[in-house]
Amino acid sequence: MKKNQDSGPNSFEKSKMDAPKEIFLKDYKLPDYYFDTVDLSFSLGEEKTIVRANISVIPRVDGVTCPLVLDGVNLKLISVKINGNQLQEGDFELDSRHLILTSPPSVNFILETVTEILPQKNTSLEGLYMSSGNFCTQCEAEGFRKITFYQDRPDIMAKFTCRIEADKSLYPVLLSNGNLIEQGDLEGGKHFALWKDPFKKPSYLFALVAGQLESRDDTFTTCSGRKVDLRIWVPLVDLPKTEHAMYSLKAAMEWDVDVFGREYDLDVFNIVSVPDFLGAMENKSLNIFSSKLVLASPETATDADYAAILGVIGHEYFHNWTGNRVTCRDWFQLSLKEGLTVFRDQEFSSDMGSRTVKRIGDVSRLRTYQFSQDAGPMAHPVRPHSYIKMDNFYTATVYNKGAEVVRMYKTLLGSQGFRKGMDLYFERHDGQAVTCEDFFAAMRDANNADFANFLLWYSQAGTPSVNVTSSYNAEARTFSLKFSQTVLPTPGQPIKEPMSIPVAVGLVNSSGKDMPLSSIYHEGKLESVSSGGQLVYTTVLRVTKGEEEFVFSDVSEKPTPSLLRGYSAPIRLQSDLTDDDLFFLLAHDSDEFNRWEAGQILARKLMLHQVVNFQSDNPLVLDPQFVHGIKCIILDSSLDKEFIAKAITLPGEGEIMDMMEVADPDAVHAVRSFIKKQLAFELKQEFLNLVDENRSTEKYEFNDVNMARRALKNTVLGYLACLEDKETNELVLNEYKNATNMTDQFSALAAIAQKPGKARDEALANFYNQWQNDYLVVNKWFALQSSSDIPGNVENVRKLLSHQSFDLKNPDKAFSLIGGFRASLVNFHAKDGSGYKFLGELVVQLDKLNPQVASGMVSAFSRWKRFDETRQNLAKAQLEMIVSTNGLSEHVYEICSKSLAV
C-alpha cells in the first residue's frame, strides 16, 4: 500500500502495509448521514492544488449521535470546520484512510474542509492527476477520496457545484459537470469557471478537466425541442480525428430516444480525450475517454477502431440514464449499471450495423474472457458477494455476463414487454441508488411475469452446462427435447441450484426450411405456441429444473433442432447433434448465429481430435468434409461478407484449451496452425479470387458494405500468408504497399508478421517509420509484435520495453505491449517459464505505478492449475514472488492470493 503524503501535524503514517480488508454485501448498512449539496472549489497549481469542500450534511435519523466517517487517501488536511467553527485535534481523528468527526451535530449542519493534493505526482490515474499537461479526474470506483474527504459511496447522492481557478495561459479550458453558470478573469493571469449540476449524483460521477484543448462543436435538438451544445475536446493536432466520435454521439442520442424514450437532460454534453486514461468514464455531462476511443481517421484507425468508438461513445452516453439518473446502491450492484448499459450499447451497435456479426463478436468475447473467469479462482456472481478491492470487479462477469442477464429478460418478455419494464424502472427510480432486485421487480411487475429462480443469475457464479437429447416419434408425430443442467462448484459456492435458462428453439425440416410450431407438452400441460393466428417458427423454452422435457406436437417429419438460437442464454450447450446434422445446419439454418455456431462446433471437434493425434505423434489430417463446408460458405453469395469472414475463422487457441482436461498450448497451437495452412492450400484459388473481388482503392467509408468487404478480404489474406510460395508472399506484400487505409495496411502487416524473416523485419520497420509520430498507431505496432507467436518472442518484447516510443506509465502502451504478450498463449505459457518470468517482473514494476493496470496483467496467471506440472510450478513461483513483494497493492494481492488459494 502507498503511504500517505506528509499531512502535517495531523498526519498518520503507516510503516507497513495494512492488512487487506474484505468487504461483504451482507454487511451493507444505510449511511447514518446523507449529503444534500456539495460546493467544491479548486485552486489548480503547478506544485500543488488546494481543494475546498462545503457540504450540507443531513442525519438520516433525527438526533443521531454516531461519528461521521469520511474517506480520504493521500490528502493533506489544512482545516476542518462545522458551521463555520474550526475543529480542534480532539474533535476529530485522522488516519491514512479516514477523517472521523467524533461528535458531529445531531441536526443538519455544514461541513467545510480544506485539503492539499499533488496531482503532478499521482500516477495511479485515480482522483485528480496530470495527463500530458492537463488536469483530469477519474473517480470511479473510489477515486474521489483522493480529491477531498467524503463519504465515497454510491448511495450518497448530492447536487454539486464546482468552481475551478487556474492560470489562464496554461489552462484556458476549465470543465466540470452540469451547466456552465459563470466564468471570468482574475488577477495575476488567472481565470475561473463555475459549473452547476442540477441533478443529484454520487461522487464517483464527479469530473474536472483543465488544460489546453480545442473542441469540435455541434448541436443536437432533443425530442422536446431542447437544443444541446455538443463539444469534443482534444489537443489541437487531434481535432480532425473527432468527426466519427461526433457522429457516434449524435447517433447514440437519437437512438436512445427512439428505442428507450430517453431524452438528454442538460444544455451541454462534453467529451474529453486524454492519452493517459483507463478506458472511458460516464461522468454526468463530462465524459472522459482514452484517446484511442475517440480519435479516428481512415489513415490511422481500423474498422475495428471505428466500431469500438461507436460502441463506447454510445455506452458512456447511455449511462446518462442507466447509471447516472438511476445509479447503484452499492458497488456490489455494479452490473445494474454496467451490464445493463453494455446490453444497450450492444443493441445500438447491432442496429447501426449487422446484428448477426455483432452477436457473434459479443458471444466470442464472452466465451473467451468470461467463461474462463467463471472457471477460475476469481469466479464470482454477476453481483459479487465480497471484494477486497472494488477495481478488481470491473470484470467480464459483471459487464458481459451481466449484459446477457439483461438480454434474457428481453428474450423472455419480448421487445414490448422489455420496454414496459424499462419504462417502469425509470419511473420508479429516477434520482435513486437502487439494487438488482429493483430492476428485477420492474420487469416482473410491468408484465405480471413469473420469473421463478431467475434471481440466481445475480447470486450464483459459474457457467451452466446444458445437455440436450432429442427423439422423434413418427407414429405420434411428436418431437422431444430432454434437458439436463449442471453448474460446477466455484470458490465459496460448492453446491449449485438449477438456473432459469431461456432456450430459443426452431425445428428445420429435411428441405432446410423452418417448420411451423403449434403446441408443446410440458409438465403434463399442452401449451399453444402460435400467437394471434400467426405462424411461429422459433419459440423460447424455459428450462428451470435439473432435468426437464419438452415435447413438440404435430411434427410431420423428423426435424433437425436449431438450439439456443441467437445464443439466448450464457451457457455451455452439448447436444446429440451429429456431424451430419451440424453440416446441415451450417448450410441451411435460418438463424445465422446458429449457422456460425454449427461451424464452430465442427471446428472445435476437429481441433480437439487433432490435438490427440499431435500428442500421440500421429500425423495431422484435415477432414475433407470440413474443407467442403468452408468452401460452401465462401461461395454462398447470399451471405453477408462479414458473416463469411466470421464463419471461416477458426476457434481461438484459448477456447480449445478450455475444453481440455490438461491444457497443452504447444499442441493446440500446432494443430490450429496446421489446419489454417491446410485450408489455405486446399482453397488457395478460391481465397485468391476473394482477394481480387474485394480489393478496392476507393475512398475509405465506414459502412456495412465496405467493412464487410474488407473483413472478408483480410481474413482470407491471413490464410494465404500461411503458405510458403512466392505468389502469396508477393500478394501479401503488395496488399501492404498499396493499402489506402489503416484497416487494409495493418491487416496486411499482421499477415506478413506471421513468419519470422527479412520481409517481416523490413515491413515492421517501414510501418514504424511511417507512423512513428502517431502514438495510437505505434501502440498497434507494439501490440502486433508482442502478440506474435514466433518462437522465443519474449526476448523481442523485452527489447521493446526500452523503445523510445514506449512508456510504462501510460496504460494504453502497457496494455498494448505487455497485455498483448499474454495473447500469444504459446509464448506466454512457454515450457521454460520465460513468459511467466517476464510478466511477473513487470507486474511488480507496474504495481508501483498503477495498481489497476498491474491487476489487469496478473490475472493472466489465475488459471495456472489448468496446465501440466512443469508449467504449474513455474507459474506458481511467479505468483508467490509477486505476493511476497513489499508494499504490494490490494489490487494485485487479492488476485494473487485467490489464485494461490485454489
Side-chain angles (χ1 to χ4, degrees):
M1 292 301 297
K2 295 180 180 178
K3 295 180 181 179
N4 264 18
Q5 295 157 1
D6 180 21
S7 53
N10 295 320
S11 67
F12 180 86
E13 286 203 354
K14 307 288 282 183
S15 59
K16 58 183 179 181
M17 182 174 127
D18 290 333
K21 180 182 178 182
E22 191 164 8
I23 311 296
F24 292 90
L25 170 61
K26 62 182 177 61
D27 293 335
Y28 172 83
K29 295 179 180 178
L30 290 170
D32 293 313
Y33 297 90
Y34 289 108
F35 294 166
D36 183 40
T37 60
V38 179
D39 297 325
L40 298 172
S41 178
F42 289 80
S43 180
L44 305 177
E46 287 299 283
E47 298 297 327
K48 62 184 179 182
T49 290
I50 302 299
V51 184
R52 293 175 172 83
N54 189 308
I55 303 172
S56 173
V57 184
I58 302 173
R60 179 170 56 87
V61 178
D62 289 342
V64 67
T65 58
C66 60
L68 171 57
V69 180
L70 304 170
D71 302 299
V73 176
N74 293 347
L75 304 176
K76 180 178 179 179
L77 180 64
I78 304 300
S79 69
V80 54
K81 297 179 181 179
I82 290 181
N83 293 332
N85 299 316
Q86 183 78 43
L87 299 190
Q88 303 304 311
E89 286 193 27
D91 299 326
F92 64 91
E93 298 174 4
L94 185 67
D95 62 28
S96 64
R97 294 171 182 251
H98 303 101
L99 169 63
I100 303 171
L101 308 185
T102 52
S103 300
S106 58
V107 295
N108 299 3
F109 64 94
I110 301 298
L111 170 66
E112 300 173 69
T113 61
V114 180
T115 56
E116 177 186 302
I117 56 177
L118 306 177
Q120 293 82 352
K121 295 184 179 181
N122 181 2
T123 65
S124 70
L125 308 189
E126 292 181 296
L128 181 66
Y129 65 94
M130 295 293 288
S131 172
S132 301
N134 299 318
F135 284 96
C136 179
T137 56
Q138 168 56 17
C139 294
E140 188 178 358
E142 297 175 336
F144 193 73
R145 64 190 62 189
K146 292 187 175 184
I147 293 175
T148 190
F149 290 102
Y150 200 82
Q151 290 188 107
D152 192 8
R153 46 189 285 177
D155 57 354
I156 299 297
M157 300 180 71
K159 294 182 178 180
F160 280 68
T161 62
C162 178
R163 185 183 188 277
I164 313 167
E165 177 182 313
D167 186 299
K168 188 173 183 178
S169 64
L170 294 174
Y171 312 106
V173 175
L174 305 176
L175 305 173
S176 191
N177 309 93
N179 296 318
L180 180 63
I181 303 303
E182 186 181 359
Q183 60 183 334
D185 293 335
L186 301 169
E187 294 181 355
K190 293 187 175 184
H191 70 144
F192 79 96
L194 179 63
W195 293 82
K196 183 175 182 178
D197 187 349
F199 295 94
K200 293 168 62 177
K201 65 172 178 284
S203 58
Y204 80 84
L205 290 172
F206 171 78
L208 179 155
V209 173
Q212 300 197 23
L213 302 166
E214 299 291 336
S215 65
R216 175 182 290 273
D217 297 352
D218 208 328
T219 60
F220 181 84
T221 302
T222 70
C223 57
S224 66
R226 180 192 297 110
K227 182 180 176 182
V228 181
D229 291 323
L230 310 178
R231 298 190 180 96
I232 299 179
W233 297 90
V234 295
L236 178 61
V237 67
D238 291 330
L239 206 56
K241 297 181 182 180
T242 57
E243 181 179 359
H244 178 65
M246 184 62 80
Y247 158 78
S248 301
L249 174 59
K250 295 178 75 173
M253 297 177 81
E254 185 173 352
W255 182 88
D256 211 17
V257 171
D258 291 344
V259 178
F260 285 96
R262 295 298 106 189
E263 179 182 8
Y264 186 63
D265 50 14
L266 287 168
D267 299 332
V268 63
F269 191 92
N270 287 305
I271 289 176
V272 176
S273 160
V274 294
D276 302 295
F277 199 81
L278 283 166
M281 181 60 204
E282 72 267 19
N283 317 296
K284 183 72 177 180
S285 77
L286 178 53
N287 288 185
I288 304 176
F289 288 73
S290 167
S291 298
K292 71 176 183 178
L293 298 173
V294 171
L295 306 179
S297 70
E299 298 79 19
T300 62
T302 64
D303 287 337
D305 296 326
Y306 273 82
I309 290 168
L310 178 74
V312 175
I313 283 185
H315 179 98
E316 304 308 333
Y317 172 76
F318 300 144
H319 267 310
N320 187 60
W321 278 94
T322 50
N324 296 5
R325 287 284 288 261
V326 184
T327 195
C328 47
R329 184 196 71 179
D330 53 74
W331 288 121
F332 297 100
Q333 319 293 331
L334 179 61
S335 193
L336 179 66
K337 75 181 187 75
E338 293 300 350
L340 175 56
T341 306
V342 167
F343 167 78
R344 275 157 49 76
D345 83 55
Q346 289 175 350
E347 288 293 286
F348 168 60
S349 293
S350 295
D351 285 345
M352 300 293 288
S354 166
R355 179 165 289 271
T356 299
V357 169
K358 175 61 177 167
R359 188 67 182 136
I360 289 170
D362 292 337
V363 172
S364 296
R365 278 187 289 276
L366 181 83
R367 288 171 170 167
T368 299
Y369 300 108
Q370 197 282 319
F371 278 18
S372 62
Q373 190 170 79
D374 256 349
M378 289 297 290
H380 58 275
V382 166
R383 179 171 57 189
H385 297 306
S386 69
Y387 62 81
I388 292 176
K389 198 63 181 173
M390 186 57 217
D391 295 326
N392 286 338
F393 285 86
Y394 284 73
T395 61
T397 298
V398 168
Y399 279 66
N400 303 88
K401 188 174 181 178
E404 295 300 317
V405 172
V406 175
R407 186 174 299 278
M408 286 190 288
Y409 283 114
K410 185 179 180 183
T411 299
L412 291 166
L413 297 172
S415 296
Q416 291 184 346
F418 182 74
R419 173 64 187 270
K420 285 171 61 179
M422 291 297 300
D423 287 347
L424 182 59
Y425 175 66
F426 293 129
E427 179 186 327
R428 283 179 173 177
H429 301 298
D430 188 12
Q432 297 178 14
V434 296
T435 66
C436 296
E437 282 87 357
D438 292 317
F439 185 80
F440 170 87
M443 289 291 158
R444 179 196 61 202
D445 297 348
N447 295 278
N448 193 26
D450 175 17
F451 283 135
N453 69 340
F454 191 88
L455 281 172
L456 280 173
W457 284 105
Y458 293 106
S459 61
Q460 189 162 272
T463 304
S465 291
V466 176
N467 187 63
V468 187
T469 58
S470 62
S471 62
Y472 178 66
N473 185 323
E475 185 177 348
R477 292 167 58 95
T478 59
F479 181 72
S480 167
L481 291 175
K482 291 183 178 180
F483 292 83
S484 62
Q485 62 162 300
T486 57
V487 185
L488 293 176
T490 56
Q493 287 188 336
I495 300 174
K496 304 290 186 176
E497 298 179 45
M499 306 288 280
S500 176
I501 301 172
V503 180
V505 176
L507 304 181
V508 185
N509 68 19
S510 57
S511 300
K513 303 296 183 182
D514 280 352
M515 305 174 73
L517 308 176
S518 57
S519 56
I520 298 174
Y521 287 100
H522 178 233
E523 296 186 339
K525 296 180 182 178
L526 182 64
E527 302 171 0
S528 176
V529 173
S530 60
S531 176
Q534 293 186 338
L535 295 178
V536 172
Y537 297 97
T538 299
T539 190
V540 177
L541 308 179
R542 290 187 59 187
V543 179
T544 60
K545 299 179 179 178
E547 294 186 356
E548 219 160 345
E549 182 178 19
F550 299 82
V551 181
F552 293 81
S553 63
D554 197 24
V555 181
S556 59
E557 63 172 290
K558 182 181 180 180
T560 302
S562 173
L563 303 168
L564 206 67
R565 284 186 158 178
Y567 198 68
S568 57
I571 63 174
R572 294 184 187 270
L573 181 71
Q574 293 88 35
S575 75
D576 57 359
L577 290 171
T578 66
D579 285 0
D580 286 342
D581 292 333
L582 292 167
F583 277 113
F584 179 77
L585 292 173
L586 177 63
H588 299 293
D589 201 329
S590 65
D591 185 274
E592 283 197 346
F593 178 89
N594 270 12
R595 288 189 74 173
W596 171 81
E597 180 76 308
Q600 292 294 293
I601 295 171
L602 287 165
R604 290 194 290 267
K605 285 185 173 183
L606 171 66
M607 293 172 72
L608 285 168
H609 180 68
Q610 295 308 312
V611 163
V612 174
N613 281 343
F614 181 88
Q615 292 172 328
S616 304
D617 293 327
N618 293 326
L620 301 180
V621 292
L622 184 57
D623 183 352
Q625 192 178 7
F626 184 78
V627 178
H628 178 72
I630 296 293
K631 185 174 181 178
C632 290
I633 287 288
I634 64 176
L635 296 179
D636 188 342
S637 59
S638 70
L639 294 175
D640 175 85
K641 290 183 177 182
E642 194 171 6
F643 172 80
I644 296 174
K646 294 286 188 185
I648 66 174
T649 299
L650 296 173
E653 293 175 15
E655 190 174 349
I656 303 304
M657 286 162 55
D658 268 354
M659 301 175 72
M660 301 174 66
E661 187 173 340
V662 177
D664 186 341
D666 295 326
V668 173
H669 177 68
V671 165
R672 193 174 190 275
S673 300
F674 165 78
I675 295 175
K676 192 172 181 182
K677 186 173 182 177
Q678 282 300 111
L679 282 172
F681 178 78
E682 298 278 356
L683 300 172
K684 178 180 176 181
Q685 191 55 55
E686 288 82 1
F687 284 167
L688 288 171
N689 293 342
L690 287 172
V691 171
D692 288 338
E693 293 165 7
N694 292 284
R695 184 187 292 114
S696 174
T697 57
E698 295 178 4
K699 183 180 177 181
Y700 176 92
E701 288 187 70
F702 176 73
N703 58 38
D704 289 348
V705 173
N706 285 290
M707 285 177 63
R709 174 182 55 75
R710 286 187 290 267
L712 181 54
K713 177 183 77 76
N714 293 323
T715 298
V716 298
L717 194 68
Y719 273 101
L720 290 168
C722 298
L723 300 176
E724 304 292 341
D725 60 70
K726 182 179 179 182
E727 179 186 12
T728 54
N729 288 342
E730 289 181 352
L731 170 68
V732 176
L733 189 59
N734 285 333
E735 290 297 314
Y736 171 76
K737 291 178 178 178
N738 298 324
T740 59
N741 58 74
M742 180 55 68
T743 304
D744 287 337
Q745 185 184 27
F746 194 73
S747 295
L749 180 65
I752 294 169
Q754 289 186 36
K755 292 181 288 190
K758 183 179 178 182
R760 178 184 192 272
D761 295 342
E762 289 179 349
L764 288 169
N766 173 270
F767 187 83
Y768 178 77
N769 289 335
Q770 182 180 356
W771 298 110
Q772 59 185 303
N773 294 321
D774 190 306
Y775 65 95
L776 292 178
V777 180
V778 172
N779 285 351
K780 298 180 191 296
W781 182 77
F782 280 132
L784 177 61
Q785 294 177 85
S786 65
S787 61
S788 172
D789 291 327
I790 62 173
N793 194 45
V794 65
E795 289 307 314
N796 297 326
V797 182
R798 193 181 293 277
K799 290 175 183 176
L800 286 171
L801 290 172
S802 303
H803 195 278
Q804 61 185 5
S805 296
F806 183 73
D807 181 2
L808 193 63
K809 295 178 182 179
N810 180 280
D812 283 341
K813 291 185 184 298
F815 278 113
S816 293
L817 184 57
I818 305 166
F821 176 71
R822 299 175 308 167
S824 173
L825 300 181
V826 72
N827 278 317
F828 174 60
H829 296 290
K831 197 83 170 183
D832 63 359
S834 57
Y836 299 151
K837 187 173 186 295
F838 172 73
L839 188 64
E841 292 170 352
L842 282 165
V843 165
V844 172
Q845 293 181 48
L846 281 165
D847 191 51
K848 300 181 187 308
L849 297 171
N850 190 316
Q852 289 188 64
V853 175
S855 65
M857 301 294 181
V858 80
S859 61
F861 287 106
S862 63
R863 300 189 68 197
W864 59 279
K865 287 194 173 181
R866 294 272 296 109
F867 297 87
D868 57 84
E869 186 176 355
T870 298
R871 287 185 171 93
Q872 284 188 33
N873 291 334
L874 292 166
K876 183 181 180 183
Q878 290 302 311
L879 283 168
E880 290 174 338
M881 179 276 293
I882 295 167
V883 83
S884 65
T885 301
N886 288 333
L888 192 69
S889 71
E890 289 178 339
H891 302 73
V892 174
Y893 172 83
E894 179 171 21
I895 294 175
C896 286
S897 60
K898 288 183 176 179
S899 298
L900 287 167
V902 295

